[in-house]
Amino acid sequence: MPDTPHKGIQEVASALGVTPRTLRFYEDNGLISPQRVGSTRVYSRRDVGRMQLILRGKKLGFTIREIREFLDLYDTDPGHREQMEHLIVRVQERLDSLSRQKAAIEETIEELDQIVHEANAQLRQLDS
Amino acid sequence: MPDTPHKGIQEVASALGVTPRTLRFYEDNGLISPQRVGSTRVYSRRDVGRMQLILRGKKLGFTIREIREFLDLYDTDPGHREQMEHLIVRVQERLDSLSRQKAAIEETIEELDQIVHEANAQLRQLDS
DNA sequence: GATCAAATTTCCCTATACGTCAATAGATTT
DNA sequence: AAATCTATTGACGTATAGGGAAATTTGATC
C-alpha cells in the first residue's frame, strides 16, 4: 500500500544536493510541510517535486519570499490564471534587473580593462 | 601658510557624496587617517584624493579589504612596482569573476524568457 | 560661565540563506 | 542496560557596508 515511496530527510537532502538544515529552513519559512511521524519528517513525492521547483526558483535568482508567493498562489489558485499573471510580472521585473546588472558589468569590465593597460604601461616604464 | 585647504568632515562628506558615518567607518577600517585637532577630524587634499580612489575602487566592485591592500602597498612601495603587479593580479581576478557573472546572467535571462513565453501560452489557453 | 550646535564614541540593527553547535529524544544495535 | 546513531529544536554565528540613536565631549559664541 505504500505506493508513494516516502523518504527521510537525509535521502531527500542528498537527492536534491542540499543539506537537511536547508530542508528544515525552508519548512520554517513555509515553503514545504512534510508529514510527521512523531516528530520525524517524512517527505512524499509531491514534497520532493515542490522542492525541485523551489530550487529552480533559487537558481533563477528569486528570493525565498518571492518563491513562497508563487507557491502560495499556486496552491490557492485553481486554473492558475492569477498565478500565471503574477509570475509573468515578477519574471519581467527580474529580467529588467538582470539587464541592468549586465550593463553595469559590461561597463565595469571596460574600465578594468583600461586599468590593466595603464598598469602594464607603468610597469614597462619602470623597466626601461 | 595654510596652503592646503583643510576641511571638516561634513564638507568632505557632501563633496564626495557620502555621509560622515562613511568617513568614520573607513577610518575605523584603516583606509584613511585624517589629522585631528583635539578630537575633531581634519581632512587634507591628500585625504580627499585617497577617498576618491577608494570610491572608485568601490564602484569597480572591490571590497574594502581589497582596497585597503592596494592602498597599503601604495604607501609602502616606492616606485609602486609591487603595487602595480598586485593591482594587475587583482584586477584580472575581478575581470574573471565578472565574466563568469555575465555568462551566468545571460543563461538566466534565456531561461526567464522561456518562462515568460510558456506562461503567456498558458494564459492564452485559459482564454480560449 | 552658560548655552547651543557640531562632532565623537559606542553599541545595536539590517538583510540573506543557511552553518554550527548543544541539548534532548527515540530507535536500534551489541 | 549501555552505547550508538539519527533526528529535532533553539539559539547564536557569518559576511558586508554602513544606518541610527544615545550619551558625552568639544568648540565657539554671547
Side-chain angles (χ1 to χ4, degrees):
Chain A
M1 189 67 84
D3 196 356
T4 58
H6 290 280
K7 293 180 181 173
I9 195 167
Q10 279 292 357
E11 272 176 292
V12 175
S14 64
L16 294 172
V18 300
T19 66
R21 179 70 176 87
T22 301
L23 294 177
R24 296 190 195 103
F25 177 75
Y26 289 173
E27 186 178 342
D28 286 344
N29 283 279
L31 297 184
I32 48 178
S33 44
Q35 287 183 302
R36 299 289 188 119
V37 173
S39 65
T40 298
R41 290 165 175 83
V42 173
Y43 297 82
S44 70
R45 242 175 15 195
R46 285 203 63 244
D47 291 324
V48 176
R50 212 175 152 89
M51 270 302 302
Q52 284 169 337
L53 277 182
I54 293 168
L55 294 178
R56 184 163 186 225
K58 268 205 48 188
K59 189 184 145 209
L60 294 175
F62 293 99
T63 67
I64 285 187
R65 200 185 307 276
E66 289 172 313
I67 294 171
R68 185 173 46 213
E69 281 176 34
F70 298 149
L71 293 175
D72 287 351
L73 268 180
Y74 187 85
D75 290 342
T76 63
D77 179 21
H80 306 314
R81 157 172 287 287
E82 200 188 341
Q83 206 242 348
M84 282 301 137
E85 286 165 352
H86 183 73
L87 181 69
I88 290 172
V89 170
R90 292 302 191 150
V91 168
Q92 277 296 354
E93 287 174 3
R94 178 103 185 102
L95 275 171
D96 290 349
S97 159
L98 285 178
S99 298
R100 281 192 297 275
Q101 275 182 53
K102 187 181 159 185
I105 285 179
E106 282 165 352
E107 271 185 56
T108 302
I109 285 178
E110 280 186 42
E111 275 203 67
L112 289 173
D113 276 335
Q114 259 299 106
I115 289 177
V116 172
H117 287 319
E118 286 166 21
N120 275 319
Q122 282 268 144
L123 281 184
R124 277 190 296 276
Q125 209 179 332
L126 288 178
D127 281 336
S128 62
Chain B
M1 191 67 83
D3 196 356
T4 57
H6 289 280
K7 293 180 181 176
I9 196 168
Q10 280 292 354
E11 273 176 291
V12 175
S14 65
L16 294 172
V18 302
T19 66
R21 181 72 176 82
T22 301
L23 293 177
R24 297 192 191 102
F25 178 75
Y26 289 172
E27 186 178 342
D28 286 344
N29 283 280
L31 297 185
I32 46 178
S33 44
Q35 288 182 301
R36 299 289 187 120
V37 173
S39 63
T40 298
R41 292 164 174 84
V42 173
Y43 297 82
S44 70
R45 244 175 14 194
R46 285 200 66 241
D47 291 325
V48 176
R50 214 176 150 89
M51 271 302 302
Q52 284 170 337
L53 278 181
I54 293 169
L55 294 179
R56 187 165 183 222
K58 270 205 46 189
K59 189 185 146 208
L60 294 174
F62 293 98
T63 67
I64 283 187
R65 200 184 308 275
E66 289 172 312
I67 294 171
R68 186 173 45 212
E69 281 176 34
F70 298 150
L71 294 175
D72 287 352
L73 268 181
Y74 187 85
D75 290 341
T76 64
D77 180 21
H80 306 316
R81 158 173 284 290
E82 200 187 344
Q83 206 241 349
M84 282 302 137
E85 287 165 352
H86 183 73
L87 182 69
I88 291 172
V89 171
R90 294 302 191 148
V91 167
Q92 278 296 353
E93 288 173 4
R94 178 101 185 103
L95 275 170
D96 290 350
S97 159
L98 286 178
S99 298
R100 282 193 296 274
Q101 275 183 52
K102 187 181 160 186
I105 285 178
E106 282 165 351
E107 271 185 56
T108 302
I109 285 177
E110 280 185 44
E111 273 203 70
L112 289 174
D113 275 337
Q114 260 298 105
I115 290 178
V116 172
H117 287 319
E118 285 166 21
N120 275 318
Q122 280 268 144
L123 281 184
R124 277 191 296 277
Q125 209 179 332
L126 288 178
D127 281 337
S128 65

